[in-house]
Amino acid sequence: MDSLFLEHQFDGVIHLAAESHVDRSIEDPMAFVKTNVIGTVNLLNAAKKQWANATEGKRFYHVSTDEVYGSLGIEGLFTETTPYDPNSPYSASKASSDHFVRAYGETYDLPFVLTNCSNNYGPYHFPEKLIPLFINNIINNKPLPVYGDGNYTRDWLFVKDHAVAIDLVFHQGKNHETYNIGGFNEWKNIDLVKKLCQIMDTKLGREIGESAKLITYVKDRPGHDLRYAIDATKINTELGWKPSVTFEQGLEITVDWYLNNQDWLSSVTSGDYQKYYEKQYS
């Protein structure tokens, strides 16, 4: 990291790299500590060293998650001042990395911005996550494994809208500030799955309701948070950001991409992925 910063004289870092799948964090917490905590501190140290004598025009942008806030009840929204209350090894590792970023800002005067986003979806999403996993399984007529009763609620954000928000915050956000990025778009998992089944049946020329027959309820995962929902008022009022597509529009775009890129889908769901899938959902 030091040699890269020295060679290229970076004036900005947008740090998105992370282990991000809760199920995998339950299986191997240390991988999440190494990437999400130690990896973040490595980047912070390189930036601190390179920018030690001149922080003007520099910026360290740390991309985080709404999961650091823990679980909501049936009402309320996460704001930028919601206390942290992580419940999984994944969210704990991201909470730790957030704290380190803020600590470097306070201790070393490192210029930073931080964002906490809701669940992303869209093209190129690796099919261990819910939407691409279920698209792939519907294509192949495999069971759709729904945790628990399916009533866990998430706020969904189209990936391109997230990219626009990142660009805005990086260039126009205020140093040492946090911005929550959400889609104002809450869905219970089971309702999302049923909607996805309808879209897939239409796209694949199947009778409506055919894919929904694949829904299979499986044992819940430990520490499963009931509900996430973000209040994105701050980024809307200060920077003028808002989602550009509805969830239904974004889901259609996403489904079309996967149907048109089934070679890519097949290539990333072979080998070790199959071993992980069988272990996780058998």
Side-chain angles (χ1 to χ4, degrees):
M1 287 295 103
D2 285 345
S3 63
L4 287 171
F5 271 75
L6 184 62
E7 178 182 356
H8 297 286
Q9 296 291 305
F10 301 130
D11 57 14
V13 173
I14 302 178
H15 177 33
L16 300 101
E19 295 279 358
S20 64
H21 193 38
V22 173
D23 292 349
R24 290 185 184 269
S25 80
I26 294 169
E27 181 72 20
D28 184 10
M30 283 306 299
F32 286 68
V33 173
K34 291 175 182 176
T35 298
N36 297 353
V37 184
I38 298 173
T40 298
V41 174
N42 283 339
L43 274 175
L44 287 167
N45 283 336
K48 176 174 75 73
K49 182 177 181 179
Q50 185 64 35
W51 303 340
N53 298 317
T55 59
E56 184 68 29
K58 307 297 193 296
R59 171 157 285 177
F60 190 102
Y61 182 169
H62 182 61
V63 178
S64 190
T65 171
D66 58 358
E67 297 192 36
V68 299
Y69 298 124
S71 182
L72 287 168
I74 59 174
E75 296 181 349
L77 299 171
F78 294 137
T79 71
E80 287 79 2
T81 58
T82 298
Y84 276 28
D85 188 23
N87 291 316
S88 70
Y90 161 59
S91 56
S93 69
K94 289 298 290 184
S96 177
S97 67
D98 292 5
H99 290 322
F100 269 106
V101 171
R102 292 192 178 97
Y104 271 58
E106 293 301 319
T107 304
Y108 306 112
D109 200 28
L110 188 79
F112 77 86
V113 287
L114 197 152
T115 55
N116 298 85
C117 72
S118 59
N119 282 31
N120 281 214
Y121 71 99
Y124 287 106
H125 207 179
F126 188 69
E128 66 184 359
K129 301 297 181 75
L130 190 152
I131 290 176
L133 170 68
F134 282 19
I135 290 173
N136 187 47
N137 283 15
I138 291 170
I139 290 171
N140 293 289
N141 284 298
K142 295 175 64 176
L144 307 178
V146 175
Y147 281 131
D149 60 8
N151 286 320
Y152 296 99
T153 302
R154 300 294 183 261
D155 177 11
W156 292 90
L157 174 64
F158 189 53
V159 65
K160 291 186 178 180
D161 284 334
H162 190 193
V164 169
I166 289 172
D167 184 65
L168 275 172
V169 172
F170 182 74
H171 290 101
Q172 299 179 29
K174 298 176 183 177
N175 276 335
H176 292 208
E177 288 287 333
T178 297
Y179 299 87
N180 281 352
I181 308 171
F184 295 104
N185 180 43
E186 290 184 59
W187 283 72
K188 290 183 179 180
N189 286 349
I190 189 61
D191 293 336
L192 186 159
V193 172
K194 289 177 179 177
K195 181 66 177 178
L196 185 59
C197 286
Q198 291 174 2
I199 294 173
M200 291 292 290
D201 283 343
T202 300
K203 300 286 186 182
L204 295 172
R206 297 176 182 173
E207 183 179 347
I208 299 299
E210 192 66 26
S211 295
K213 296 176 182 177
L214 299 170
I215 295 172
T216 305
Y217 293 93
V218 298
K219 181 181 178 181
D220 212 349
R221 72 183 180 205
H224 204 162
D225 293 332
L226 174 64
R227 175 174 168 259
Y228 304 142
I230 275 184
D231 182 349
T233 300
K234 181 177 178 179
I235 190 172
N236 174 254
T237 56
E238 290 190 12
L239 302 181
W241 177 88
K242 63 180 180 179
S244 67
V245 297
T246 66
F247 186 57
E248 290 82 356
Q249 291 170 331
L251 207 52
E252 289 257 3
I253 294 168
T254 301
V255 167
D256 285 342
W257 187 90
Y258 281 97
L259 290 176
N260 291 326
N261 290 273
Q262 292 188 50
D263 288 345
W264 178 89
L265 193 55
S266 297
S267 71
V268 300
T269 55
S270 58
D272 286 345
Y273 174 87
Q274 290 299 326
K275 297 176 185 176
Y276 163 76
Y277 183 89
E278 292 301 325
K279 182 178 181 180
Q280 191 66 33
Y281 298 112
S282 62

